[in-house]
């Protein structure tokens, strides 16, 4: 596992330690992390503060995004995939898509390269959370 996915996992664990949903994300440009975030829907009482959105907010305005890579512990949902497409991010690396398929086809149909690392650590974080708090998870994914 590379250091960028490790940083995204650290963000997911930070969110979990705050009582939130364990999904983390980092934005990388020129080999450096320029933004970090984690799902804060519960902490901030904000339905759109998904990990990728928090990450983009924390990166701030950078002008062009076509030379960035977004790492996320979970395949991005349609909300976050929409942000990826809107800002022209060309590559997304996800820790897993087994517990939630996300919007991979949507991103790929808009020219975004998506890579699913299928990491056991990411899957276990989500499986444990979903088993313990299924109602919160279903709210997060709009069920």
């Amino acid at each position: 596992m590379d250091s960028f996915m490790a940083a995204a996992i650290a963000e997911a664990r930070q969110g979990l330690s705050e009582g939130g949903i364990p999904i983390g994300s980092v934005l990388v440009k020129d080999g450096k992390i320029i933004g970090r975030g984690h799902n804060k829907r519960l902490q901030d009482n904000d339905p759109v503060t998904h990990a990728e959105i928090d990450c983009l907010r924390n990166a701030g305005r950078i002008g062009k995004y076509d030379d960035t890579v977004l790492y996320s512990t979970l395949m991005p949902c349609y909300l976050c995939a929409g942000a990826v497409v809107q800002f022209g991010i060309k590559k997304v690396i996800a820790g897993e898509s087994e517990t939630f398929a996300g919007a991979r086809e949507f991103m790929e149909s808009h020219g975004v390269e998506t890579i699913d690392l299928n990491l056991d650590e990411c899957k276990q974080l989500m499986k444990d959370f979903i088993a313990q708090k299924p109602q919160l998870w279903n709210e997060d994914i709009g069920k």
Side-chain angles (χ1 to χ4, degrees):
M1 177 189 328
D2 69 28
S3 62
F4 302 131
M5 184 53 70
I9 292 171
E11 284 292 325
R13 291 192 182 284
Q14 174 67 31
L16 185 62
S17 76
E18 295 169 358
I21 298 168
I23 304 168
S25 183
V26 298
L27 186 66
V28 175
K29 180 176 179 154
D30 298 327
K32 296 179 184 169
I33 295 174
I34 61 168
R36 300 170 181 265
H38 53 272
N39 187 303
K40 293 182 181 173
R41 291 183 64 259
L42 300 172
Q43 299 93 310
D44 293 351
N45 195 33
D46 180 350
V48 297
T49 307
H50 287 200
E52 299 86 350
I53 301 300
D54 188 47
C55 175
L56 290 168
R57 283 180 176 151
N58 290 331
R61 292 179 57 226
I62 65 167
K64 295 180 67 172
Y65 294 80
D66 60 348
D67 58 349
T68 63
V69 178
L70 183 71
Y71 285 75
S72 181
T73 58
L74 187 65
M75 188 64 69
C77 68
Y78 280 95
L79 170 70
C80 300
V84 166
V85 170
Q86 177 69 30
F87 293 116
I89 296 169
K90 298 295 182 199
K91 188 173 187 177
V92 171
I93 300 176
E96 65 107 349
S97 64
E98 182 178 302
T99 60
F100 179 71
R104 182 179 192 157
E105 289 179 12
F106 171 78
M107 290 186 289
E108 289 176 346
S109 74
H110 287 85
V112 178
E113 177 186 359
T114 60
I115 298 171
D116 182 352
L117 298 176
N118 194 31
L119 296 174
D120 289 336
E121 184 174 5
C122 294
K123 288 188 279 190
Q124 198 61 55
L125 271 171
M126 291 309 301
K127 286 177 182 178
D128 291 347
F129 182 82
I130 292 167
Q132 293 168 8
K133 299 181 180 181
Q135 186 175 8
L136 290 176
W137 174 242
N138 287 333
E139 178 187 320
D140 193 63
I141 60 173
K143 282 191 176 180

